């Protein structure tokens, strides 16, 4: 995916600025920003897309107990 972004940046830079390096630099900056977002917020993005939500004991006591028990037995 990164290679496609870099090639697209070079191509668009060559077309619009007559300089592939300018497009390459912009593409690398965009790639860096996307990487930082994925690293720091990727889990939250995926959980929100999946419709996940936090539960409390009042929501579903048995499910809450199972999750808490699994959490305490992590290896």
């Amino acid at each position: 995916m990164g290679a496609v972004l870099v090639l697209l940046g070079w191509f668009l830079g060559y077309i619009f600025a007559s300089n592939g390096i300018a497009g390459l630099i912009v593409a690398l900056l965009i790639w860096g920003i996307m990487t930082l977002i994925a690293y720091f917020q990727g889990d939250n993005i995926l959980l929100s897309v999946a419709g996940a939500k936090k539960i409390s004991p009042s929501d579903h006591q048995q499910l809450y107990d199972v999750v808490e028990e699994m959490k305490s037995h992590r290896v």
Side-chain angles (χ1 to χ4, degrees):
M1 189 66 178
V4 170
L5 181 63
V6 168
L7 287 173
L8 183 63
W10 182 85
F11 182 70
L12 291 175
Y14 186 76
I15 288 176
F16 291 113
S18 299
N19 185 0
I21 300 299
L24 183 67
I25 292 171
V26 171
L28 289 174
L29 287 173
I30 292 171
W31 188 11
I33 291 168
M34 288 172 46
T35 301
L36 289 173
I37 291 171
Y39 183 77
F40 289 110
Q41 293 296 320
D43 56 341
N44 293 330
I45 293 169
L46 288 175
L47 288 172
S48 66
V49 167
K53 58 184 176 179
K54 290 187 177 190
I55 63 166
S56 66
S58 62
D59 294 330
H60 195 286
Q61 183 64 45
Q62 186 177 6
L63 174 62
Y64 188 83
D65 291 340
V66 168
V67 171
E68 286 297 314
E69 185 175 333
M70 290 174 65
K71 191 169 76 172
S72 66
H73 287 87
R74 289 175 43 181
V75 177

